[in-house]
Amino acid sequence: MASKETASAGIALGALDELRELAALERRLGAVPVVAAGGLWGAAQALVLAALSRRARVPWIALTSTEPEAEALCEDLAAFGAEALAFPARETQGKQRLDGSDLDAVRARLEVAKRLAGPAERRPKLLVASLLALLQPLPKPDELRASTLTLAVGDQLSPEQLLKRLVDAGYERQPLVEKPGEISLRGDIFDLFPFANDLPVRIELFDDAIESLRTFDPAEQRSVDKLERVALCLARDVGGVEDSSGVSPVLLLPHGAVFVEIEPLRLEDRGHGLSIQSASHQRELGLLRQALDSRRRVQLQSLPAKDINFDTRSVQALSGGIRQAPELLRATTADGTRVVVLCRTEAEQHRFISVLDEAGGVEGVDTRVGHVSRCFRFPARKTVVVSHHELVGLVGARRVAP
């Protein structure tokens, strides 16, 4: 019978740490600067990266050719229990401003900048970025430090001086604070929404003393959390590749980090496309290439590679429709292969288990609530990861750059 799991994180695939290909990859990485690993179909690339980051106590920087691929990789890593920090490009599909940047992306980039420039224990252990994201500048570390504002209940604060400081830094004064980069002073209430914050902060004053500090919902203007002390990063977006006074992100990356190039051929094509946009893009690509050449690298690809091959495969053969799913799964598990079926919701999971039960059940099938970008078959581990949508033939096209 099919078993049921409701946890969406940490899809376990048996003793992956004992896989000889993984051990060979690690040994080779200790001996040569660049290791190419192939035969990694779809989310199997995230599976291997999750295992590497868990075993090795060094920072890892995964590089993809496009933003959609970076987003998919983060989701896949989370499914395999690896916590990755996303470093998006300024321009995404979110809330765009007149300069083309995205407020949520800018906030995420500033958060990464703070962590890269901060103490070692706060620096990311696994960072995922597109090629464009690593070309676009960040505030300089000394500017980040100078932009930090620490507030505590009982502290003295001149609202007029703070107002001038923020206006000079590019913040806009508004009647109500509703989005990052806005400030408001109404009597004894000072609201500010730093670019790096998820929520704005409300400072209530009594004379020139801070009486209370709270985060608040910008839509409802209602308090969320009461604070005794808060450190705010007042830094703002420093612009794009061609119009910035910031610093290249690659100069902030840890020297001991290992770069992971996802689908290097696609990265090469994307780099060529970016290089012809401007001399600034060429300069930043040159800096990135220097950073790559000076650090250890792992190249993960679906095609066979010259060093290590994992031999994972597509699950397209299982896309026979919901009526054929029980028989296809029964044939797959006949040799002891374990199949993990990922369902997007508990309701979908429940319906699929009912389909299997009505067909007499299928031994060796686990159902879980979760999602990965593209599923795969792993013959060496006698494991298949397949989504419910793939089984019923509702697989969408792979996301590509806009």
Side-chain angles (χ1 to χ4, degrees):
M1 303 291 287
S3 65
K4 177 180 179 180
E5 298 284 348
T6 57
S8 60
I11 300 170
L13 296 183
L16 182 68
D17 288 343
E18 299 173 5
L19 198 65
R20 56 185 173 81
E21 289 87 352
L22 186 65
L25 194 161
E26 290 182 310
R27 286 195 302 271
R28 190 162 180 81
L29 186 59
V32 297
V34 183
V35 180
L40 290 166
W41 178 265
Q45 296 173 350
L47 174 67
V48 169
L49 177 53
L52 289 172
S53 66
R54 182 174 65 251
R55 289 157 62 102
R57 302 298 181 185
V58 296
W60 297 82
I61 301 163
L63 185 59
T64 68
S65 59
T66 68
E67 279 297 302
E69 289 177 351
E71 293 167 8
L73 181 60
C74 283
E75 293 173 2
D76 291 348
L77 287 166
F80 296 121
E83 184 179 352
L85 181 63
F87 182 53
R90 294 174 68 246
E91 304 86 0
T92 67
Q93 299 301 311
K95 306 167 187 175
Q96 300 237 326
R97 300 187 293 179
L98 291 178
D99 65 354
S101 63
D102 179 300
L103 289 173
D104 291 335
V106 168
R107 181 161 54 245
R109 289 176 64 82
L110 288 172
E111 175 60 27
V112 172
K114 288 194 309 182
R115 292 183 60 173
L116 288 174
E121 62 270 15
R122 292 202 67 242
R123 291 172 192 161
K125 304 301 182 186
L126 177 54
L127 188 69
V128 175
S130 70
L131 187 57
L132 179 59
L134 282 186
L135 302 186
Q136 296 172 334
L138 290 173
K140 298 173 183 176
D142 57 344
E143 292 175 354
L144 281 173
R145 288 188 289 269
S147 71
T148 300
L149 174 66
T150 301
L151 302 171
V153 173
D155 283 355
Q156 295 293 305
L157 178 69
S158 169
E160 295 299 334
Q161 288 182 6
L162 179 58
L163 184 68
K164 182 178 184 306
R165 175 183 175 181
L166 292 171
V167 169
D168 290 345
Y171 283 72
E172 297 180 3
R173 186 171 183 178
Q174 300 289 346
L176 291 176
V177 166
E178 297 177 314
K179 59 180 184 289
E182 293 184 344
I183 52 177
S184 172
L185 178 58
R186 307 184 309 279
D188 292 330
I189 297 177
F190 196 124
D191 292 343
L192 70 152
F193 201 155
F195 288 97
N197 273 39
D198 290 329
L199 291 173
V201 174
R202 175 160 293 157
I203 308 167
E204 296 184 8
L205 300 164
F206 183 76
D207 290 332
D208 280 347
I210 298 176
E211 189 173 41
S212 72
L213 292 167
R214 302 174 188 270
T215 56
F216 66 93
D217 182 341
E220 300 290 335
Q221 296 289 310
R222 293 182 178 177
S223 298
V224 175
D225 288 318
K226 185 176 181 180
L227 309 170
E228 291 298 320
R229 184 182 181 88
V230 64
L232 303 174
C233 175
L234 303 180
R236 57 172 296 152
D237 179 35
V238 293
V241 177
E242 300 176 63
D243 58 355
S244 173
S245 60
V247 64
S248 173
V250 300
L251 299 179
L252 303 179
L253 299 176
H255 290 292
V258 178
F259 272 94
V260 181
E261 298 173 282
I262 305 296
E263 300 292 354
L265 289 178
R266 284 208 293 269
L267 281 169
E268 184 178 344
D269 288 344
R270 178 62 171 155
H272 176 72
L274 290 169
S275 69
I276 62 177
Q277 291 191 16
S278 72
S280 298
H281 284 82
Q282 293 178 15
R283 181 190 67 244
E284 294 301 323
L285 282 165
L287 287 174
L288 178 56
R289 175 48 56 189
Q290 291 176 19
L292 289 171
D293 290 342
S294 65
R295 291 173 170 87
R296 291 183 296 163
R297 280 183 285 153
V298 175
Q299 297 175 333
L300 302 181
Q301 61 190 50
S302 52
L303 294 174
K306 63 182 179 66
D307 295 322
I308 310 291
N309 283 288
F310 285 82
D311 191 30
T312 63
R313 305 172 190 176
S314 166
V315 294
Q316 186 176 1
L318 292 176
S319 298
I322 193 64
R323 293 181 182 275
Q324 288 73 35
E327 190 59 37
L328 289 170
L329 291 173
R330 197 172 287 119
T332 301
T333 58
D335 65 350
T337 293
R338 174 193 173 204
V339 177
V340 179
V341 179
L342 300 179
C343 302
R344 289 185 178 273
T345 65
E346 288 191 32
E348 185 176 87
Q349 180 187 35
H350 179 74
R351 289 194 300 270
F352 184 67
I353 290 176
S354 297
V355 169
L356 296 183
D357 289 346
E358 290 170 4
V362 181
E363 295 292 337
V365 174
D366 297 331
T367 64
R368 300 199 177 196
V369 176
H371 171 71
V372 295
S373 58
R374 289 187 301 166
C375 295
F376 57 91
R377 181 192 300 266
F378 205 159
R381 297 247 39 95
K382 283 197 170 183
T383 299
V384 174
V385 178
V386 62
S387 71
H388 175 268
H389 279 209
E390 283 174 305
L391 285 173
V392 301
L394 296 177
V395 183
R398 181 177 178 85
R399 292 183 289 182
V400 296

